[in-house]
Every structure is written in structure tokens, then in C-alpha cells.
Amino acid sequence: MLPRMIDTPDIDASGGAWSFVTAREPAEFPAVEVEGVPGVEHAGGMGRTLCGIRGRYLKLFLHHFQPRALASCRKCRALAEAAPSQPCGQERLHDLLLQEADDGPLRTDLLAALRRGARIAIWITGPAKDLTRFHSRVDRMTEETGPAADALAAGGTSITLARVEDADRQYLVVLPPEGRARIARGVMASPKA
């Protein structure tokens, strides 16, 4: 999966109210090239291209297939554009928290913020030590800081964390490889004048 920053405003592109439905994203496929046929990119998926070329003849690229690129396969282009859309980051995190976080006031508030389109400032998996030091901002949290910090410390080699910003509040979600998700909340830092 390629890293991505997710930033969604309170209104959709057409000017209507933001919702999970209006924020759905186009399907994404890895870009691949057929060995011996350079210059044409295909959309990969399930061990073959969308147009049917088997996986043993493919070379995978580290970017997504771009249907509108000049070098894209026409058949893959049509199939990729016709593929069903996928949930936005807010919806994916919302659904994950419904399963992985204990019920409580912070989870309830965060779920409501995600349904309003709160900005996901970062959602990343990596070395627990580095994520704690550079991305968690656990020192800015004022509620449930202890359990979130404990989950970060017990994360071992790898951990997933997300920071969500909503109006004047920010949330830290820690998803350890073992155990339940932990949520902490703090006040957004006011911008320096």
C-alpha cells in the first residue's frame, strides 16, 4: 500500500454536505508492465492485469495505475474506470474503530467527527519507537493519554497510529498489533500569530 495523507473539507466538490457517500474514492490498482513490452502500463490485480495477462509476465511498479495516462492500456483503463469506488479514509478508520476500540465517550466523539469529515492528518504503520518520537504528539493529548502512551510503548517493533483533527480537538488513535485500539484526545494547538 502506498502512503497517503488524507485531507477532506467539510463540503464535497459539488458544494453539498460532506458524507461517506460523497467522499468515496475511485478504485486504485498497482501499475504493472508486461516483460518484453515496455512503455505500456497495465492495472494489476489478483495475480494478473485487469485485461487478463497472467502475473508471471508482469513487472510491478511502485505507483498506482493512472487510467488517463498516455501510456495506459486501453482495456485496463476502461475496466479500472468502471470498477466500484472504495470507502474514503474517514469511513475506513470509522469502521475499524467500531471493531477495534472499546465503546466509550472518546470513541463516540471520534466516530462522530469522522462522520463529519474530520481531517486525518496522518495514518501510518511503522517502527513504534520512531512513530512515538516523530508522529504521535502524545504529549499534546489531555484525555486518556496514559493508555495511549502505554500502547505505544508496548507496540514492539511495529505499530499503527492515526491523528485526526476536528475543529478545536485532535485525536490520537493507537492500533497495536495485539490488543484493542487506544484513543486519546487533546486540544488543537492554536496557530502562531
Side-chain angles (χ1 to χ4, degrees), residues 1-176:
M1 184 162 130
L2 297 174
R4 171 187 342 194
M5 300 299 281
I6 302 166
D7 186 9
T8 305
D10 291 334
I11 58 172
D12 70 7
S14 64
W18 191 95
S19 71
F20 288 160
V21 173
T22 62
R24 291 191 70 84
E25 301 169 349
E28 292 181 333
F29 301 93
V32 297
E33 184 177 84
V34 178
E35 288 184 17
V37 187
V40 178
E41 285 192 7
H42 296 267
M46 304 303 289
R48 58 184 28 199
T49 67
L50 293 184
C51 65
I53 300 169
R54 288 186 294 191
R56 68 179 176 195
Y57 303 112
L58 304 178
K59 179 171 60 174
L60 180 67
F61 291 112
L62 292 177
H63 62 268
H64 290 114
F65 175 71
Q66 300 294 319
R68 289 289 158 202
L70 291 175
S72 68
C73 164
R74 290 182 189 164
K75 191 170 184 181
C76 285
R77 174 187 303 164
L79 292 169
E81 289 177 341
S85 60
Q86 59 189 19
C88 64
Q90 287 82 350
E91 184 175 359
R92 291 191 309 266
L93 185 56
H94 179 277
D95 293 349
L96 181 70
L97 292 173
L98 285 175
Q99 296 175 356
E100 299 294 327
D102 294 329
D103 194 17
L106 285 184
R107 183 183 93 151
T108 301
D109 290 349
L110 178 52
L111 292 174
L114 290 167
R115 285 191 297 272
R116 289 190 304 269
R119 178 179 181 266
I120 299 175
I122 192 168
W123 188 355
I124 190 168
T125 299
K129 181 178 164 184
D130 292 342
L131 294 184
T132 301
R133 185 180 325 138
F134 299 114
H135 300 292
S136 73
R137 298 186 182 170
V138 72
D139 58 319
R140 298 181 187 179
M141 301 299 141
T142 56
E143 299 175 61
E144 296 297 319
T145 306
D150 292 345
L152 282 166
T157 58
S158 182
I159 199 159
T160 299
L161 69 82
R163 269 197 350 265
V164 179
E165 299 173 349
D166 181 47
D168 62 344
R169 295 180 180 206
Q170 61 181 329
Y171 298 86
L172 173 66
V173 179
V174 180
L175 297 151

